[in-house]
C-alpha cells in the first residue's frame, strides 16, 4: 500500500512540478511584476500600486475592460444558445454508431488554421466581401439589412462595414462554437432516457418534459460551456486585432501593446492580472449561482 | 426543423474554411468577389519562398518536440490519476489541468515576464516549446485518461503473476494496449502546437514559427493569395492528421472492447 502511494507520487511529480515551474511560478512573477514600474527601458523594482491606480482610473483602460467583458459575455450567450440545439440533435436524434462521426465533423474546423479562419471572416464581412456580393446580387443594400436588424456595422454602410465590436462578436462566436457543443453534448448523453419516458407517462408534454427534465439535467453541461467559452474569449487577441478595428479592441490587444509596443511591460502585467482576477471572480460566481439555482429546485 | 438548423450551423461552421481553396486557385490578386480565373501560381510561389520554408521547419521542430514531451508528461499524469491513489491527488491533477482554461495571453505574458525580466534570458524556440508543452499536456492527459480507464487492470496483474517484471509488463502489455491513445495524443498535441499563434508571437525570438510568419504576411495585401494557397495545404494536412488521430482513438477503444463515448475531449 505504502509502495503504491510512492509510485503514484513519483508519477505525478514530473507533470506537477512542470506546471508549478511554468505556470504557478510565472503567474506569481507576473503579480509581483505588476507592482513595478518601467521608464522607457529601465525597470524600477520599488513596489508601488501606481499601475493599478492608473488601470482603474484611466477611462481608456476602463472602457477597454468594459468592452472586453461586454463582448465576451455576448459571445458566450450567443455561442451557447446556438450550440445547444446542435448538441441536443447529436445526442437525441443521431444514431449512436454515428455520434462520434458527427462530433468529429463539428470539431474539425476548430483544430484548423485559427489565424486564417479569423482572416477569412474579414473576407466574408468586408467590402467586396462574400456577404456584400450576395446582397448586391439580390439588390439588397447592406445598410437596409443593418437598419432592419439593428446591427451597427451594417448600418454604418459599406465604407466601413467590418471594423466594429459586432464583427468581433460574430467571429468569436464562430471560433468557439465547438467548445460550447462538447460539454453540453456530454451532459445530455448522461441523461437517463427512461426519465423522459416517465415524465411523458406522468402527463408532461414533450415541451414541458424538456423544460422540467432535460434542461435541468443538462445544466452542468451548460455551465461548463458558458465558462469554457467565456474564459478564453476574454483573452483573445487575434480576432479583435483582425476584425475589430479601433472600436472593437479588447484587453489582450492592450496587454500586447503595453508589452511589445509601448515598452511598458509592468502596465501590461497589471492589465493581465486584473483580467485574470475578473475572469476568476465571474467564473466562481457563475458556478456558485448554478449551484444555488440547482439547490433551490 | 432541428435537422435543418444543424445543417445550417455546419455550413456556418465550415464557411470560412470552404473559402480558402476558392481564393487559392483564383488568379486575381485581390481577395474579393467576383473571381477572376483559375491559376496554380500561388502554389508555385510557395515552393520558392525561403522565409516560409524556415518558418515551416521551425514549426515542425517545435510541434514535434512539444508533442513528444507533452505525451510523456501526460502518460505519467494519466497513469497516476487512473491507477494510483495518493494524498493531494485531486489538487495535483487540478493544477496540471489548469492551462486548459487559462487564457493563452496570460500564459504568454507571464512566461515572457519570467524569462525576460526575472532571468534576462533570450527568447528562442525553446521558450515556445516550454510554453506549448504546458498547454498541450492537459489535452494529452484527457485522451490518455480514457485509454488507461478502459485498460483492464487484470491484464497487468496476470502478466506479473506469470513472471514479468513491472517494467516488462508495462512494455509488453500496457504500452501496446494504450498505443492508439498515445498516437492520438501525439497527433492532437502536434496539431495544437503547429496552429498556436499568440504564445509563439510573444515568446519566439528571431526564429519565427509558421503562424507568426502568416501573421506578418496578413498585413501585406499582395501576399494574401499566397497565404490562401498555404492555408489550403495546411487545412488539408490538419484534417488528415485529425482523421488519423480519430481513427487511432477508435481503434484503441475497439481493441479493448470499450464503448465509444465520442469526441476527443
Amino acid at each position: 500500500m505504502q509502495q503504491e502511494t510512492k509510485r503514484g507520487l513519483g508519477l505525478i511529480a514530473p507533470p506537477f512540478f512542470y506546471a508549478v515551474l511554468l505556470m504557478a511560478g510565472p503567474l506569481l512573477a507576473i503579480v509581483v511584476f505588476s507592482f513595478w514600474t518601467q521608464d522607457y527601458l529601465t525597470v524600477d523594482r520599488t513596489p508601488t500600486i501606481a499601475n493599478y491606480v492608473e488601470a482603474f482610473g484611466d477611462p481608456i483602460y476602463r472602457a477597454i475592460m468594459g468592452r472586453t467583458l461586454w463582448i465576451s459575455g455576448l459571445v458566450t450567450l450567443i455561442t451557447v444558445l446556438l450550440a445547444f440545439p446542435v448538441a441536443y440533435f447529436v445526442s437525441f436524434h443521431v444514431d449512436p454508431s454515428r455520434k462520434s462521426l458527427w462530433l468529429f465533423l463539428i470539431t474539425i474546423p476548430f483544430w484548423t488554421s485559427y489565424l486564417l479562419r479569423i482572416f477569412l471572416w474579414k473576407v466574408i464581412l468586408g467590402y467586396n466581401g462574400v456577404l456584400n456580393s450576395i446582397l448586391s446580387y439580390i439588390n439588397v443594400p447592406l445598410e437596409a439589412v443593418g437598419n432592419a436588424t439593428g446591427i451597427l456595422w451594417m448600418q454604418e454602410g459599406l465604407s466601413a462595414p467590418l471594423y466594429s465590436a459586432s464583427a468581433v462578436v460574430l467571429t468569436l462566436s464562430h471560433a468557439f462554437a465547438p467548445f460550447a457543443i462538447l460539454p453540453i453534448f456530454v451532459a445530455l448523453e448522461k441523461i437517463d432516457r427512461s426519465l423522459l419516458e416517465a415524465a411523458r407517462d406522468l402527463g408532461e408534454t414533450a415541451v414541458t418534459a424538456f423544460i422540467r427534465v432535460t434542461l435541468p439535467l443538462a445544466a452542468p453541461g451548460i455551465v461548463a460551456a458558458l465558462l469554457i467559452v467565456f474564459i478564453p474569449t476574454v483573452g483573445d487577441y487575434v480576432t479583435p486585432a483582425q476584425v475589430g478595428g479601433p472600436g472593437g479592441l479588447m484587453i489582450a490587444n492592450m496587454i500586447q501593446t503595453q508589452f511589445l509596443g509601448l515598452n511598458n511591460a509592468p502596465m501590461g502585467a497589471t492589465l493581465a492580472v486584473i483580467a485574470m482576477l475578473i475572469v476568476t471572480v465571474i467564473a466562481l460566481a457563475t458556478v456558485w449561482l448554478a449551484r444555488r439555482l440547482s439547490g433551490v429546485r | 426543423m432541428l435537422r435543418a438548423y444543424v445543417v445550417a450551423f455546419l455550413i456556418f461552421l465550415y464557411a470560412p474554411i470552404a473559402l480558402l481553396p476558392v481564393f487559392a486557385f483564383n488568379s486575381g490578386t485581390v481577395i474579393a468577389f467576383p473571381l477572376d480565373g483559375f491559376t496554380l501560381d500561388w502554389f508555385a510561389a510557395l515552393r520558392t519562398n525561403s522565409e516560409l520554408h524556415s518558418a515551416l521547419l521551425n514549426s515542425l521542430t517545435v510541434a514535434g518536440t512539444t508533442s513528444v514531451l507533452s505525451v510523456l508528461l501526460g502518460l505519467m499524469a494519466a497513469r497516476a490519476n487512473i491507477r494510483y491513489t495518493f494524498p493531494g491527488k485531486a489538487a495535483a491533477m487540478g493544477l496540471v489541468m489548469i492551462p486548459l482554461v487559462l487564457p493563452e495571453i496570460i500564459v504568454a505574458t507571464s512566461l515572457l515576464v519570467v524569462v525576460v525580466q526575472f532571468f534576462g534570458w533570450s527568447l528562442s524556440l525553446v521558450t515556445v516549446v516550454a510554453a506549448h508543452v504546458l498547454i498541450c499536456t492537459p489535452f494529452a492527459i484527457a485522451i490518455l485518461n480514457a485509454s488507461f480507464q478502459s485498460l483492464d487492470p487484470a491484464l497487468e496483474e496476470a502478466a506479473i503473476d506469470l513472471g514479468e517484471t513491472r517494467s516488462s509488463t508495462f512494455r509488453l502489455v500496457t504500452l501496446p494496449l494504450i498505443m492508439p491513445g498515445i498516437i492520438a495524443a501525439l497527433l492532437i498535441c502536434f496539431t495544437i502546437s503547429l496552429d498556436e499563434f499568440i504564445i509563439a508571437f510573444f515568446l519566439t525570438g528571431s526564429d519565427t514559427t509558421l503562424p507568426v510568419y502568416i501573421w506578418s504576411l496578413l498585413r501585406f495585401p499582395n501576399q494574401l493569395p499566397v497565404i490562401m494557397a498555404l492555408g489550403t495545404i495546411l487545412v488539408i494536412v490538419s484534417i488528415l492528421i485529425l482523421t488519423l488521430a480519430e481513427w487511432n482513438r477508435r481503434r484503441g477503444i475497439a481493441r479493448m472492447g470499450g464503448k465509444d463515448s465520442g469526441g476527443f475531449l
Side-chain angles (χ1 to χ4, degrees):
Chain A
M1 191 60 215
Q2 188 66 32
Q3 187 76 16
E4 294 281 284
T5 307
K6 260 188 206 155
R7 289 205 181 110
L9 287 172
L11 273 173
I12 196 68
F16 176 77
F17 285 112
Y18 194 84
V20 169
L21 278 179
L22 277 104
M23 183 184 65
L27 287 181
L28 198 65
I30 202 173
V31 173
V32 171
F33 190 65
S34 68
F35 289 100
W36 295 354
T37 46
Q38 183 170 7
D39 183 22
Y40 188 52
L41 285 179
T42 43
V43 173
D44 183 355
R45 299 193 171 200
T46 331
T48 162
I49 56 160
N51 289 328
Y52 285 90
V53 173
E54 192 186 339
F56 284 109
D58 192 325
I60 292 175
Y61 295 135
R62 280 221 302 262
I64 286 196
M65 202 65 231
R67 185 195 295 143
T68 303
L69 294 176
W70 166 240
I71 288 179
S72 303
L74 203 58
V75 167
T76 308
L77 284 181
I78 292 175
T79 310
V80 173
L81 277 176
L82 289 178
F84 189 90
V86 179
Y88 185 85
F89 176 79
V90 178
S91 182
F92 281 78
H93 292 282
V94 169
D95 185 72
S97 63
R98 304 188 65 183
K99 279 181 184 173
S100 48
L101 178 71
W102 272 87
L103 290 182
F104 186 59
L105 275 177
I106 289 164
T107 37
I108 278 187
F110 162 68
W111 296 108
T112 46
S113 264
Y114 178 60
L115 279 182
L116 293 175
R117 262 185 295 142
I118 308 295
F119 175 76
L120 284 160
W121 274 109
K122 216 167 148 173
V123 175
I124 294 175
L125 300 174
Y127 186 69
N128 277 347
V130 178
L131 194 64
N132 270 351
S133 305
I134 295 171
L135 289 172
S136 68
Y137 186 74
I138 56 173
N139 262 325
V140 178
L142 198 57
E143 290 96 326
V145 179
N147 289 330
T149 54
I151 297 175
L152 191 64
W153 62 262
M154 289 182 172
Q155 291 171 331
E156 280 162 359
L158 296 184
S159 55
L162 175 61
Y163 300 107
S164 79
S166 33
V168 177
V169 172
L170 176 68
T171 308
L172 281 175
S173 305
H174 176 267
F176 286 95
F179 266 130
I181 292 173
L182 290 178
I184 299 175
F185 170 78
V186 171
L188 289 173
E189 279 293 278
K190 284 187 190 149
I191 295 176
D192 187 347
R193 303 301 195 259
S194 58
L195 290 175
L196 292 168
E197 283 167 28
R200 295 299 297 276
D201 288 348
L202 293 169
E204 301 279 3
T205 66
V207 176
T208 54
F210 174 80
I211 293 170
R212 298 182 60 183
V213 181
T214 312
L215 216 49
L217 288 173
I222 296 172
V223 172
L226 289 172
L227 294 178
I228 218 164
V229 174
F230 181 76
I231 295 170
T233 34
V234 168
D236 193 80
Y237 170 82
V238 176
T239 301
Q242 277 289 317
V243 303
L249 288 184
M250 290 165 68
I251 195 72
N253 307 94
M254 193 44 121
I255 294 173
Q256 190 268 344
T257 309
Q258 301 287 347
F259 267 100
L260 306 179
L262 296 177
N263 272 325
N264 191 356
M267 193 64 210
T270 307
L271 295 174
V273 170
I274 293 174
M276 207 161 43
L277 286 177
I278 294 179
V279 167
T280 311
V281 168
I282 293 179
L284 291 178
T286 311
V287 172
W288 178 80
L289 200 67
R291 288 216 178 127
R292 270 294 293 271
L293 288 176
S294 55
V296 167
R297 194 183 60 243
Chain B
M1 198 182 81
L2 188 59
R3 178 175 283 271
Y5 169 78
V6 173
V7 169
F9 187 86
L10 280 179
I11 292 172
F12 167 66
L13 220 50
Y14 277 87
I17 299 181
L19 282 174
L20 271 174
V22 171
F23 291 111
F25 292 107
N26 176 30
S27 61
T29 47
V30 184
I31 305 295
F33 285 98
L35 300 172
D36 286 336
F38 180 84
T39 182
L40 290 173
D41 289 356
W42 313 126
F43 288 92
L46 290 175
R47 290 179 49 195
T48 53
N49 187 332
S50 61
E51 270 182 80
L52 168 74
H53 294 169
S54 71
L56 178 64
L57 191 67
N58 286 341
S59 265
L60 292 178
T61 316
V62 168
T65 321
T66 299
S67 55
V68 171
L69 294 176
S70 312
V71 169
L72 281 178
L73 289 176
L75 271 173
M76 295 183 211
R79 176 78 171 168
N81 184 34
I82 302 296
R83 176 74 174 70
Y84 298 101
T85 47
F86 48 91
K89 178 167 141 181
M93 286 309 295
L95 184 87
V96 174
M97 296 302 275
I98 284 181
L100 207 56
V101 292
L102 206 58
E104 287 181 357
I105 186 106
I106 303 286
V107 176
T109 49
S110 62
L111 277 167
L112 183 74
V113 163
V114 169
V115 171
V116 174
Q117 305 287 346
F118 280 73
F119 290 107
W121 294 336
S122 56
L123 296 167
S124 67
L125 293 179
V126 178
T127 41
V128 179
V129 170
H132 279 184
V133 171
L134 184 73
I135 60 159
C136 287
T137 304
F139 286 94
I141 296 174
I143 296 169
L144 292 169
N145 264 342
S147 297
F148 279 117
Q149 200 125 48
S150 48
L151 180 76
D152 187 351
L155 293 172
E156 292 181 338
E157 284 160 22
I160 292 194
D161 289 347
L162 291 169
E164 296 290 344
T165 62
R166 287 179 48 78
S167 66
S168 65
T169 301
F170 188 78
R171 195 162 39 85
L172 294 170
V173 178
T174 317
L175 211 52
L177 283 171
I178 56 163
M179 194 44 90
I182 294 178
I183 295 174
L186 279 172
L187 293 170
I188 290 295
C189 293
F190 188 88
T191 317
I192 294 172
S193 172
L194 196 66
D195 198 39
E196 199 288 324
F197 165 70
I198 191 73
I199 289 174
F201 185 47
F202 271 82
L203 295 179
T204 189
S206 48
D207 302 319
T208 53
T209 64
L210 197 57
V212 178
Y213 176 68
I214 292 176
W215 179 257
S216 72
L217 286 188
L218 288 178
R219 280 178 296 153
F220 302 106
N222 62 333
Q223 291 287 340
L224 291 178
V226 180
I227 299 180
M228 296 292 132
L230 178 62
T232 307
I233 296 174
L234 284 178
V235 165
I236 292 170
V237 172
S238 308
I239 291 177
L240 286 179
I241 295 180
L242 292 168
T243 311
L244 202 63
E246 170 71 5
W247 177 72
N248 249 293
R249 197 187 59 81
R250 285 199 209 174
R251 196 170 57 109
I253 289 166
R255 181 183 289 184
M256 291 187 273
K259 194 174 135 292
D260 192 356
S261 55
F264 291 118
L265 291 174

